[in-house]
């Protein structure tokens, strides 16, 4: 047990008992416990297997390579429409965790076997990202911005494009781009503040 996780759980706002129950379940499966990305992360031989966290309406058990799991019980969900590898189980009570414990344990052991076998998620070929007109206009105004954007990793570029193109109104897209210019020029991703 990692004492940093004790601290994390003591600060949990809505789901402390549920998170503690998930922690015990993961540790019982012989995973190592660390804090990564601000939350309890469970690893096997240095490879990330699962992470737990809380949202407003539930707590989640997230599997990093959940797309490779055989989800016979159909409890795994994509956390976002653009997610390719991760899958989550949303939980709202200790009773539900107790009820699903055999299934969750089986999924955890399967995730460990995936790591032992060195399996990788076969990412779908990326569809070429379409830059919004507002971003193209900013590139024409500021060639340094275009250069900085193209120097970002493909994942960071994709995150920005998805963020910029989500709004329907041009005014909102322009505002998002404007707020991100300095981050891009600094070589940072959308969430790297």
């Amino acid at each position: 047990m990692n004492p940093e996780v004790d601290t994390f759980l003591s600060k949990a706002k809505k789901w402390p008992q549920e998170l503690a129950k998930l922690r015990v379940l993961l540790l019982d499966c012989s995973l190592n416990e660390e804090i990564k990305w601000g939350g309890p992360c469970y690893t096997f031989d240095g490879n990330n297997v699962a992470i737990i966290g809380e949202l407003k309406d539930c707590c989640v058990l997230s599997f990093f390579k959940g797309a490779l799991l055989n989800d016979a019980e159909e409890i795994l969900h994509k956390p976002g429409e653009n997610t390719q590898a991760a899958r989550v189980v949303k939980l709202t009570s200790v009773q539900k965790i107790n009820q699903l414990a055999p299934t969750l344990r089986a999924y955890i052991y399967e995730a460990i076997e995936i790591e032992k076998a060195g399996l990788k998620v076969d990412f779908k070929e990326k569809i070429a990202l379409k830059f919004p007109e507002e971003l193209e206009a900013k590139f024409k105004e500021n060639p340094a911005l275009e250069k900085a954007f193209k120097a970002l990793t493909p994942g960071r570029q994709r995150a920005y494009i998805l963020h910029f193109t989500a709004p329907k109104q041009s005014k909102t897209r322009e505002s998002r781009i404007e707020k991100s210019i300095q981050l891009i020029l600094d070589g940072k991703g959308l969430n790297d503040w």
Side-chain angles (χ1 to χ4, degrees):
M1 291 184 133
N2 184 322
E4 290 180 84
V5 175
D6 295 328
T7 303
F8 174 88
L9 293 175
S10 73
K11 294 178 183 176
K13 294 180 177 154
K14 280 192 88 173
W15 310 100
Q17 295 170 333
E18 291 78 4
L19 291 170
K21 184 72 179 174
L22 288 172
R23 177 192 198 189
V24 169
L25 185 68
L26 288 152
L27 289 173
D28 283 349
C29 294
S30 301
L31 292 171
N32 294 318
E33 185 174 62
E34 303 175 36
I35 291 284
K36 292 185 178 182
W37 305 285
C41 182
Y42 298 85
T43 63
F44 178 80
D45 281 346
N47 297 309
N48 299 327
V49 173
I51 192 166
I52 59 174
E54 64 178 350
L55 303 173
K56 288 179 188 174
D57 60 343
C58 63
C59 67
V60 292
L61 168 60
S62 302
F63 292 96
F64 287 92
K65 294 182 182 175
L68 299 178
L69 294 173
N70 176 16
D71 185 19
E73 300 298 319
E74 298 182 352
I75 60 172
L76 296 175
H77 305 282
K78 285 178 146 188
E81 68 177 83
N82 297 302
T83 303
Q84 292 190 42
R87 296 293 182 271
V88 300
V89 181
K90 295 180 178 184
L91 301 154
T92 56
S93 70
V94 171
Q95 292 96 339
K96 186 67 174 176
I97 295 169
N98 287 335
Q99 177 188 346
L100 288 174
T103 301
L104 295 174
R105 191 172 279 110
Y107 284 25
I108 294 164
Y109 283 126
E110 184 181 354
I112 292 169
E113 290 304 315
I114 286 169
E115 289 306 323
K116 284 180 181 177
L119 299 179
K120 304 276 186 216
V121 174
D122 184 21
F123 290 101
K124 298 175 199 162
E125 193 170 312
K126 299 268 193 258
I127 298 168
L129 295 175
K130 186 174 184 316
F131 290 17
E133 293 174 17
E134 297 83 0
L135 184 59
E136 293 283 357
K138 288 289 181 190
F139 286 166
K140 286 179 183 170
E141 288 174 23
N142 185 350
L145 177 63
E146 181 175 16
K147 184 177 179 184
F149 187 87
K150 291 185 177 177
L152 294 172
T153 63
R156 286 185 171 135
Q157 289 180 25
R158 181 173 172 75
Y160 276 119
I161 295 300
L162 292 172
H163 179 65
F164 296 158
T165 58
K168 292 180 181 168
Q169 294 186 4
S170 177
K171 181 179 175 183
T172 308
R173 289 191 297 271
E174 285 178 18
S175 173
R176 286 187 176 191
I177 292 166
E178 199 62 45
K179 289 176 182 175
S180 301
I181 288 175
Q182 193 56 53
L183 282 172
I184 294 168
L185 290 172
D186 291 344
K188 294 183 178 179
L190 187 59
N191 300 311
D192 291 346
W193 328 5

